[in-house]
Amino acid sequence: MDLRQLRYFVAVASERNFTRAAERLNIAQPPLSRQIQLLEDELGVTLILRNSRPLRLTDAGRLFYEQALQILGRVEQMSDATRRMGRNQNRVISIGFVPSTLYGGLPSLVRKLRQHESGLDIKLIEMLSMQQIHALKEGRIDIGFGRLHHSDPNVTGIVLREERLVVAIPVADPLASLDLPLPVAALAGKTLIVYPKEPRPSYADHVLQLLHGHDVRPAAVEEVSELQTALGLVAAEVGICVIPSSARLLRADIRYRVLEGARATSPVVLSHRASDTSPYIALVKRLIEEMYAESPPWLTLEHNLSVRSDMADTDIPE
């Protein structure tokens, strides 16, 4: 199977006629029919029902058509991007991020990047922390902002800060009556809402490990897909939720209390390929240093236990 056969099949499938497909491809019909037959022989399935007018695709043919369109589209994007890059017409940086980083410094960083590099195409891709590691190694993103430590030797990680964890509490819960820091032990016997539900490991496991380390057992654990859903359930008095401090601005109809303890934090981790020497990686680090020097509200000690003062590469401790 090769790209030529995929293009031939897509032409026949879209035209639903071998003659029109051959004209579109500027080839004779017999070799086109032969290539489609060879493709079916290789796959061991029938893709096209030839005895109907117009031609119809089998179930396998429809699946193959959809996949072939995606492959050919991706190849075209790759070719076009490579040509533009070769002509220096398009400079791209792809940034993976977990949603909670949107409530900290990521929007400011992107604005600064655009100010410094007006011609830079910045692509923001939402993905979980562990997904970012795979995406970096596969070249799908250039930088990741996640919430989990990792130990992959091919990926450099820098802990930008250790953000405090806070507990989102329903207004009617007795725990909501005080503003003092909350001991982790106070979460025992409560219904705990965690996110994301999958894939794992994730931020949900980070929270559960924190409770386990303090020998705290919730009455029940409710798993949801995202932060917004979790906070909605807190407002509905389903349970409590442990979130990064910067996300407490999302809802005003629930109460927040900081969790006590040096381990009650969530790291914000900048990751990039260990072998990447792109000038944009260095630029991002410099802009983060500048941004941190401005002491924005989300970087104060109220929200963070510790903040990194320089962006030099370092291995993340396991």
Side-chain angles (χ1 to χ4, degrees):
M1 187 188 308
D2 56 33
L3 290 177
R4 181 187 58 171
Q5 288 177 313
L6 294 185
R7 292 190 180 96
Y8 285 3
F9 175 77
V10 165
V12 174
S14 58
E15 295 291 345
R16 302 298 173 96
N17 183 285
F18 274 98
T19 301
R20 288 198 300 271
E23 292 172 353
R24 170 175 156 182
L25 294 167
N26 198 28
I27 63 173
Q29 182 176 331
L32 173 60
S33 300
R34 262 197 315 275
Q35 288 300 321
I36 300 301
Q37 184 62 58
L38 289 172
L39 186 59
E40 290 178 319
D41 291 344
E42 181 179 347
L43 293 170
V45 296
T46 299
L47 300 174
I48 298 173
L49 297 174
R50 293 167 172 77
N51 56 357
S52 64
R53 294 292 182 273
L55 299 175
R56 288 194 302 115
L57 300 179
T58 64
D59 290 341
R62 283 193 293 271
L63 174 63
F64 192 80
Y65 178 56
E66 293 171 0
Q67 296 294 322
L69 283 175
Q70 293 180 28
I71 292 170
L72 292 175
R74 184 70 186 93
V75 168
E76 182 59 31
Q77 290 173 9
M78 178 182 67
S79 301
D80 188 47
T82 302
R83 283 192 293 268
R84 289 200 307 268
M85 185 67 72
R87 296 192 297 264
N88 199 30
Q89 292 182 352
N90 192 32
R91 296 169 296 162
V92 181
I93 185 169
S94 297
I95 302 174
F97 68 96
V98 293
S100 62
T101 56
L102 290 174
Y103 310 113
L106 184 58
S108 297
L109 173 63
V110 172
R111 287 195 298 269
K112 285 179 177 292
L113 264 177
R114 290 201 169 105
Q115 291 168 4
H116 281 75
E117 293 287 339
S118 59
L120 183 62
D121 184 3
I122 304 170
K123 298 186 181 298
L124 295 171
I125 306 169
E126 180 183 339
M127 57 177 59
L128 298 178
S129 299
M130 296 312 296
Q131 292 174 329
Q132 292 177 24
I133 306 305
H134 297 295
L136 282 166
K137 293 194 292 186
E138 293 168 1
R140 290 185 285 119
I141 63 173
D142 303 296
I143 291 178
F145 290 94
R147 287 277 182 185
L148 293 180
H149 294 127
H150 63 80
S151 57
D152 194 303
N154 298 306
V155 176
T156 294
I158 301 173
V159 177
L160 301 180
R161 64 184 188 276
E162 288 286 351
E163 188 172 353
R164 295 183 188 275
L165 295 177
V166 301
V167 184
I169 308 169
V171 174
D173 191 295
L175 292 179
S177 61
L178 297 175
D179 292 328
L180 298 173
L182 187 66
V184 177
L187 306 187
K190 295 287 187 179
T191 296
L192 180 68
I193 303 166
V194 298
Y195 67 93
K197 187 173 184 178
E198 55 186 16
R200 307 292 275 271
S202 68
Y203 174 77
D205 299 287
H206 177 71
V207 172
L208 292 172
Q209 288 169 8
L210 173 65
L211 268 63
H212 179 74
H214 286 77
D215 198 27
V216 171
R217 293 178 175 81
V221 176
E222 296 284 342
E223 298 181 344
V224 297
S225 298
E226 57 183 23
L227 172 58
Q228 293 276 13
T229 304
L231 293 181
L233 293 181
V234 172
E237 302 185 354
V238 172
I240 62 174
C241 182
V242 178
I243 66 171
S245 180
S246 59
R248 71 173 82 178
L249 301 176
L250 282 173
R251 297 189 69 112
D253 55 349
I254 54 183
R255 298 290 181 265
Y256 302 96
R257 290 181 65 180
V258 174
L259 265 183
E260 281 185 351
R263 294 170 56 197
T265 63
S266 173
V268 176
V269 181
L270 163 65
S271 298
H272 62 82
R273 284 179 293 277
S275 59
D276 197 335
T277 59
S278 166
Y280 298 126
I281 304 296
L283 175 60
V284 165
K285 293 177 182 179
R286 179 168 64 82
L287 293 178
I288 291 174
E289 287 184 342
E290 292 178 3
M291 187 168 60
Y292 278 25
E294 296 167 0
S295 298
W298 46 266
L299 203 62
T300 63
L301 290 177
E302 176 189 359
H303 295 289
N304 300 276
L305 184 65
S306 64
V307 177
R308 189 179 183 88
S309 59
D310 68 88
M311 299 299 126
D313 290 356
T314 185
D315 291 331
I316 293 180
E318 294 184 41

